[in-house]
Amino acid sequence: MPAIVLIGAQWGDEGKGKVTDLLGAWVDYVVRYSGGNNAGHTVVTPDGQKYALHLMPSGVLSPNAVTVLGNGVVIDPKVLLGEMDGLTERGVDVSRLLISGDAHLIMPHHRALDRVVERYLGPARIGTTGRGIGPAYGDKVARTGIRVQDLLDPGILRQKLELVLREKNQILAKVYNRKAIDVAAVVEEYLTYAARLRPHIADTRAVLWDALAAGATVLMEGAQATMLDLDHGTYPFVTSSNPTAAGACVGTGIPPTAIGQVIGVAKAYTTRVGAGPFPTELSDQAGMHLLKVGDEYGTTTGRERRCGWFDAVVGRYAVRVNGITDLVITKLDVLSGLDQVQICVGYEIDGERVDSMPTTQTGFHHAKPIYEELDGWWEDITKARTEEDLPATARRYLERIEQLCGARISVVGVGPGREANITRHPLLPAAAADPG
Ligand code: GDP
Ligand code: IMO
Ligand code: MG
């Protein structure tokens, strides 16, 4: 089997965790390739248990999948160990986790700088999750980062930390009026994490190459999303990594030629957490409906998500930039109870119609959505399991999204549970042969 990439096609929280979990029974490896504990992936297992995963790949809830944190992930070891302990307490086996020695660590100065920089940005703030993501990737790019492998050598760990804190402590104290960070205390703390993480550290590239060569199925689970991509998203209101499909190669070492399928997950409407342009954002009754019925509160920070109509300009862009072969449209059930539903088909920017992604940040800020209005539906569709179970207007809505985005919709989500889906085209051949 070639490798499969699963990505968010909007601004995050599309339901990537649920879809990864859905495929868990048929995949051998689930690999995170970018981001860190800024992600929050909610999975509801068939016994009704709800799990909020931040660093652990969602495949941890599948009995046989090996979970991997690739080199592209940034790891806060305290958070990871806390998550492993929490899962273990709930009877989930985390022993099959493999961690790349090349993954970068989130250090205390990253968390401190993330928060204080946001505060200083004031109204220009990004609205980050405050987890230290941007500063950790910043150090990686500046070649002053500390990696998982450095935990295995106390001398090196101290040396690297001393070097980086020589500068960062000056910045914390003199620019931001914060306390300097003590090297010895951090080394001591991180060495306790080292002892526990050591058995999981592996040459994950080689593990994945060998697995693919032996015919295993490898799923690379995206975090964040296309419009939060550092290069392809709404810069600067983005995260500091590449969540798009191409990032999966960089963040794992799996070559592009090994990837045979890209699953794009999108909500039937749009949400965004944090600042930045969002042309279809709603502040009316319909927006309130999406917030309340969709229960749109962040898994990581608990923040209210901004809600709006489905944006097919974004959808089309995500299909092209990621090479999406299959779309999964989640939360269609949330749209039940609306007389009309709207799909954004283009933007008006300073008096001109634009059908593709604005080419400048100012253009994006000025973009006003051009809508196509479709009839809604009132039926409860949470029990629908085939397309025929859906009202005709809901089917028409999906068909229109499919046409506008330019990729087939393979699965439609109608509830948070693993079983609450309509499969139009099986995502994996094995799943088609044995739907569980
Ligand atoms: P992720 O970050 O992409 O994994 O998404 P989140 O877990 O942050 O947010 C998606 C939320 O929607 C979670 O609470 C899921 O349980 C829930 N969810 C996923 N798919 C569906 C669906 O089809 N219908 C409903 N009602 N909820 C869903
Ligand atoms: P999942 O994987 C939604 C947003 C933050 C902020 C911006 C930068 O659950 O879809 P960061 O802390 O990464 O520097 O914040 O990105 N953001 C997310 N929004 N879902 C996520 O992850 C996100 N991860 C980061 O809100 O606007
Ligand atoms: Mg999320």
Side-chain angles (χ1 to χ4, degrees), residues 280 310-314 316 342-348 353-356 368-374 400 404:
T280 64
F310 187 87
D311 188 334
V313 180
V314 167
R316 216 158 37 227
Q342 320 267 351
I343 301 177
C344 170
V345 293
Y347 303 134
E348 191 204 301
R353 183 178 171 136
V354 173
D355 290 326
S356 54
K368 293 194 184 69
I370 298 169
Y371 286 120
E372 200 172 284
E373 188 171 88
L374 281 80
R400 195 64 189 121
L404 288 164

Side-chain angles (χ1 to χ4, degrees), residues 61-347:
L61 300 169
S62 307
N64 300 313
V66 176
T67 51
V68 180
L69 294 176
N71 56 278
V73 177
V74 285
I75 299 176
D76 187 325
K78 185 176 180 186
V79 172
L80 176 60
L81 288 164
E83 196 166 327
M84 289 167 76
D85 289 343
L87 286 165
T88 305
E89 265 170 40
R90 294 177 71 179
V92 177
D93 178 13
V94 298
S95 65
R96 283 168 286 120
L97 175 69
L98 301 178
I99 305 171
S100 166
D102 289 347
H104 280 247
L105 292 170
I106 295 182
M107 306 299 293
H109 65 274
H110 297 140
R111 290 191 300 266
L113 283 167
D114 193 359
R115 289 185 190 150
V116 81
V117 168
E118 278 281 280
R119 199 168 314 150
Y120 269 61
L121 280 173
R125 74 173 69 88
I126 310 293
T128 73
T129 58
R131 302 298 191 261
I133 304 294
Y137 279 114
D139 276 1
K140 173 176 175 174
V141 172
R143 295 163 295 187
T144 52
I146 297 174
R147 295 185 290 174
V148 168
Q149 59 183 280
D150 298 324
L151 290 174
L152 303 179
D153 186 331
I156 291 281
L157 178 64
R158 168 180 295 275
Q159 210 178 315
K160 290 196 171 180
L161 194 61
E162 263 167 8
L163 195 69
V164 70
L165 283 184
R166 204 180 296 159
E167 182 203 8
K168 302 296 181 200
N169 273 340
Q170 297 279 337
I171 295 173
L172 279 169
K174 294 188 179 153
V175 179
Y176 296 115
N177 200 22
R178 286 290 176 285
K179 272 203 300 211
I181 290 169
D182 178 43
V183 175
V186 177
V187 169
E188 192 184 344
E189 177 190 340
Y190 274 61
L191 287 178
T192 64
Y193 306 143
R196 291 197 53 201
L197 292 178
R198 182 185 286 269
H200 297 279
I201 301 172
D203 182 354
T204 54
R205 285 184 200 90
V207 168
L208 295 170
W209 293 333
D210 290 347
L212 285 166
T217 305
V218 174
L219 175 71
M220 292 180 267
E221 178 188 11
Q224 290 76 55
T226 304
M227 300 308 287
L228 291 173
D229 187 282
L230 184 59
D231 286 81
H232 304 292
T234 47
Y235 189 90
F237 301 100
V238 292
T239 191
S240 298
S241 67
N242 291 113
T244 44
C249 295
V250 177
T252 59
I254 291 177
T257 45
I259 295 170
Q261 189 178 4
V262 179
I263 299 170
V265 187
K267 272 179 191 159
Y269 48 98
T270 312
T271 62
R272 169 163 208 175
V273 200
F278 178 3
T280 64
E281 183 170 15
L282 293 169
S283 53
D284 60 1
Q285 270 306 102
M288 195 49 78
H289 173 102
L290 299 176
L291 175 75
K292 294 293 170 203
V293 181
D295 192 22
E296 295 295 353
Y297 300 90
T299 312
T300 299
T301 57
R303 286 181 288 178
E304 220 173 68
R305 295 175 182 147
R306 299 157 67 194
C307 297
W309 295 118
F310 187 87
D311 188 334
V313 180
V314 167
R316 216 158 37 227
Y317 179 73
V319 166
R320 298 181 82 181
V321 82
N322 296 291
I324 291 171
T325 54
D326 300 84
L327 275 171
V328 176
I329 300 294
T330 61
K331 303 191 96 161
L332 187 68
D333 52 303
V334 173
L335 293 182
S336 291
L338 294 164
D339 287 322
Q340 259 82 38
V341 283
Q342 320 267 351
I343 301 177
C344 170
V345 293
Y347 303 134

